[in-house]
Amino acid sequence: MKFFIDTANLAEIREAHSLGLVDGVTTNPSLCSKVGVCDPEGFRRLICEICELVQGPVSAEVIATEAEAMAQEARNLAAIHRHVVIKIPMTAAGLKATRLLAAEGIKVNVTLIFQPVQALLAAKAGAAYVSPFIGRLDDINQRGMELVEQILTIYDNYGFDTEVIVASIRHPLHVLEAAMAGADVATIPYAVLMRLINHPLTDIGLAKFLADWQKNRPSP
Ligand code: E4P
C-alpha cells in the first residue's frame, strides 16, 4: 500500500519524507488555507516545491466549478510539474472535466466520494484515482471503510485500474483497515502518520534494554 501524506505543510512533508514514508501528497483548499496559501501564485509555488521534494504524485485541487473552467485550471496546474495530479470534485461538471483531462493524458483524482457508484462513475470517466472520505462518513454514523470495500469490489469486478485513495483518515485503525481491505493508497495526516510509528511496549522494551546494558557494564 502506498502512503500519501494529507497536508500542505512543507515542514511536515519534509519530516515524513525523511522517514521514507511519503509516496505522494494530497492537498485541498482547506489544507492550503491552513498554511496561509490561498492565492493562485502562492499555490503554484507550493505545489512545485512539494513535487520537487517528494518526486511522486501530488494532488492539487481546482477551485472552478464549471467543466470548461475546471479543465482549463487543471491544464495550468498540470503544467507546473510532471508529478501534479488534478483533484476534481465529484459533480456532473467534475465528471465532464475528468473525461476531457483523461483524454489529454492528465491524471485526475476525483475527490469527495461518499457512495460507491460515484466511484464507478469516476472510473468510467477515466479517473486515475478516487478519494473516498471515510472519516467524514464515520462522523455521521456510516461505516466509511464499507465504502472502500465496495469500491474495491466494483473495480475488481470490472477490471478498472483507477486507484483507491483512502482519505479523511482520522486515526491509526483507519490505516490498518485500509491495508486489510487492499486499498491502493492511504492518504494520512502527519499526526496520524507519527502515531503509526509508536507503541508503548516498544518504548518500555527499549528503556529496559538500555537499563540492563548499563547495569552489567564493568565499572571503569
Ligand atoms: C484528501 O484528499 C482529503 O481532502 C482529506 O483527506 C479530507 O480529510 P478531512 O475529512 O479530515 O478534511
Side-chain angles (χ1 to χ4, degrees):
M1 183 172 65
K2 283 174 271 193
F3 275 16
F4 289 0
I5 183 163
D6 193 27
T7 182
N9 183 310
L10 275 167
E12 291 182 350
I13 297 169
R14 272 193 208 101
E15 176 59 19
H17 185 254
S18 73
L19 291 165
L21 295 177
V22 177
D23 299 306
V25 177
T26 52
T27 67
N28 64 34
S30 306
L31 293 170
C32 292
S33 170
K34 207 168 149 188
V35 296
V37 173
C38 29
D39 64 289
E41 211 26 64
F43 183 52
R44 291 177 68 81
R45 274 199 306 274
L46 177 66
I47 292 297
C48 188
E49 200 168 341
I50 297 173
C51 286
E52 277 299 308
L53 178 63
V54 305
Q55 295 295 325
V58 175
S59 287
E61 188 157 344
V62 296
I63 301 299
T65 53
E66 300 302 324
E68 258 310 326
M70 280 176 171
Q72 196 44 53
E73 190 182 343
R75 290 181 193 110
N76 293 338
L77 290 173
I80 296 174
H81 199 282
R82 68 194 165 91
H83 286 309
V84 170
V85 172
I86 306 300
K87 235 181 178 187
I88 299 264
M90 176 63 213
T91 59
L95 283 179
K96 281 186 204 166
T98 299
R99 183 167 294 282
L100 289 171
L101 294 166
E104 295 171 25
I106 294 175
K107 285 190 174 173
V108 173
N109 169 3
V110 177
T111 188
L112 291 166
I113 298 275
F114 291 97
Q115 56 111 334
V117 177
Q118 288 181 316
L120 174 57
L121 301 186
K124 284 174 72 67
Y129 302 95
V130 287
S131 292
F133 278 34
I134 62 165
R136 293 192 196 185
L137 282 172
D138 286 356
D139 289 345
I140 58 160
N141 276 338
Q142 288 184 27
R143 222 173 66 77
M145 198 48 65
E146 200 171 294
L147 168 62
V148 171
E149 289 157 4
Q150 289 168 330
I151 296 170
L152 289 169
T153 299
I154 292 169
Y155 285 2
D156 194 43
N157 285 347
Y158 297 103
F160 286 113
D161 54 14
T162 305
E163 293 189 47
V164 178
I165 304 178
V166 178
S168 188
I169 282 179
R170 301 268 195 264
H171 48 71
L173 206 51
H174 275 154
V175 181
L176 171 65
E177 287 172 348
M180 297 293 287
D184 302 282
V185 185
T187 190
I188 310 170
Y190 179 80
V192 176
L193 198 59
M194 293 304 115
R195 282 163 63 197
L196 295 176
I197 297 171
N198 299 317
H199 192 285
L201 289 180
T202 306
D203 299 340
I204 292 167
L206 178 58
K208 178 154 172 37
F209 285 153
L210 296 179
D212 288 347
W213 178 257
Q214 289 297 338
K215 204 166 50 190
N216 293 321
R217 275 182 83 187
S219 27

